[in-house]
Amino acid sequence: MNRTTDIKTINSVGQIPTLDTIRSTPRERTIKLVFEKEVQSQREAIGQNLKTELVGFQVGIHTIEPEINIAKLITDKEIEDNQGFFEQCAKDYRQLGEELLFKLVDKLDLKLNKDFPMETFNKLKRDKRQIGKLENWRYFVHGFHCGFENNKTGQMIEVPLVFGQEFGDLDPYFFTKFIKSTPKYRPLPVEIFEEYADGVRINERMLSLGKFERISSNVGNHYGIVVADRQKVEIKSYLDLEKMYQEQNKQTEKSKFNFWKFIGLKR
């Protein structure tokens, strides 16, 4: 479903819709406030106030154009009413991510570092295998992920590489992109319009419901979110990995060892 936008020209502060009016706007509609010269100097302060007052809304203060864009986000009730759906999506994400990653490992004949998959996939960034094809999928290794897009269905998934063999981390943007691009979920039981902001709200509410839980990463100060109902796997911390690699270094009698350089994260 496409959203429609109500455009309101603002010549005076009194023309700004009331908070109650904005709150009553359905999610299928957005509001664009276009400020004329007389009130443009007040736009930033008005926008900041709207951000404070409108909980559950996305308020965007344009950095160039004299406008403020307001969109209602997915509600707690909508998430609660569809918690079973989002939980199943998270399980499907985890299963498909693991399946595709191991297929790619087999195709490229990689020796997977099961404690820290990113160490294995970082090597692909140095040659022509960073981008390629796997059956009906196109893959692309980047950042902390290996992305896959199905050439036939358009389904997209980003498989995390920094949680050991836990491949179900639900980045809010990637998770909603996966949901919206998966053919079997259509039509969606609840609309997702703002892929990142709605994704954040879905994750936060599912955490509070006990359906999702937080996990630590192989990388310091980096965390993830996964479905709670799963077969849990061990995730080594970056301190555990550093200690392990230092022990390996002693055994090989190398004179100097930099863990972060070794795993492809210069430090």
Side-chain angles (χ1 to χ4, degrees):
M1 179 186 296
N2 294 323
R3 274 177 155 174
T4 57
T5 301
D6 295 333
I7 302 175
K8 301 182 183 298
T9 301
I10 307 300
N11 293 288
S12 67
V13 174
Q15 292 181 319
I16 298 172
T18 66
L19 294 175
D20 286 342
T21 298
I22 296 174
R23 291 187 182 111
S24 66
T25 303
R27 285 210 298 127
E28 292 76 19
R29 304 183 72 85
T30 64
I31 299 173
K32 177 182 288 189
L33 307 179
V34 180
F35 289 72
E36 294 298 315
K37 291 183 179 180
E38 295 82 359
V39 288
Q40 283 184 16
S41 63
Q42 301 177 65
R43 181 175 65 97
E44 182 74 27
I46 291 169
Q48 292 300 331
N49 182 63
L50 290 174
K51 284 186 176 184
T52 300
E53 296 292 337
L54 294 172
V55 178
F57 283 75
Q58 181 167 263
V59 179
I61 306 170
H62 205 289
T63 57
I64 299 176
E65 299 299 327
E67 61 188 51
I68 295 174
N69 293 281
I70 306 170
K72 189 173 185 177
L73 300 175
I74 190 169
T75 65
D76 286 347
K77 186 178 186 305
E78 287 175 316
I79 299 168
E80 291 166 8
D81 289 347
N82 294 279
Q83 59 185 278
F85 169 72
F86 290 122
E87 181 180 34
Q88 187 58 54
C89 291
K91 291 180 178 181
D92 293 346
Y93 190 108
R94 187 174 190 260
Q95 180 179 345
L96 179 61
E98 181 175 314
E99 176 186 324
L100 289 173
L101 195 83
F102 282 118
K103 281 186 177 181
L104 185 58
V105 167
D106 288 341
K107 176 183 177 174
L108 299 180
D109 194 25
L110 302 174
K111 184 177 180 181
L112 181 66
N113 182 331
K114 296 181 179 180
D115 293 316
F116 190 55
M118 188 173 169
E119 187 268 326
T120 300
F121 280 83
N122 261 342
K123 297 175 182 177
L124 304 186
K125 298 177 183 179
R126 305 172 193 141
D127 57 38
K128 296 180 180 180
R129 296 177 298 170
Q130 181 177 6
I131 300 174
K133 293 181 180 180
L134 174 70
E135 298 176 353
N136 293 325
W137 298 83
R138 174 183 177 272
Y139 74 85
F140 174 43
V141 181
H142 65 101
F144 287 172
H145 295 81
C146 181
F148 294 87
E149 181 174 0
N150 192 290
N151 295 321
K152 292 186 176 181
T153 68
Q155 185 181 31
M156 293 179 283
I157 185 170
E158 294 279 345
V159 185
L161 303 173
V162 290
F163 295 92
Q165 292 191 81
E166 174 54 73
F167 302 115
D169 170 45
L170 304 171
D171 172 275
Y173 178 76
F174 295 151
F175 185 36
T176 56
K177 291 286 286 186
F178 167 77
I179 294 173
K180 293 179 70 173
S181 66
T182 299
K184 74 175 183 178
Y185 298 153
R186 300 173 190 152
L188 297 180
V190 59
E191 290 293 341
I192 298 172
F193 293 111
E194 303 294 335
E195 288 164 350
Y196 177 75
D198 280 343
V200 169
R201 286 186 61 82
I202 290 168
N203 279 356
E204 288 177 346
R205 194 60 186 157
M206 292 294 282
L207 282 168
S208 70
L209 293 169
K211 298 296 184 179
F212 291 176
E213 64 182 27
R214 297 188 188 278
I215 56 173
S216 298
S217 167
N218 296 141
V219 177
N221 298 317
H222 182 65
Y223 303 90
I225 295 175
V226 294
V227 65
D229 182 16
R230 71 190 191 284
Q231 184 175 351
K232 298 184 179 182
V233 298
E234 180 187 6
I235 302 174
K236 286 185 168 59
S237 71
Y238 77 100
L239 292 175
D240 292 333
L241 289 175
E242 188 167 19
K243 182 178 179 181
M244 184 173 67
Y245 285 124
Q246 285 175 344
E247 289 298 322
Q248 291 179 6
N249 176 56
K250 289 179 182 178
Q251 294 175 9
T252 56
E253 296 182 351
K254 292 182 179 178
S255 59
K256 188 175 182 181
F257 180 79
N258 186 309
F259 168 72
W260 297 101
K261 184 177 180 180
F262 177 78
I263 65 175
L265 298 176
K266 292 183 180 180
R267 184 169 172 174

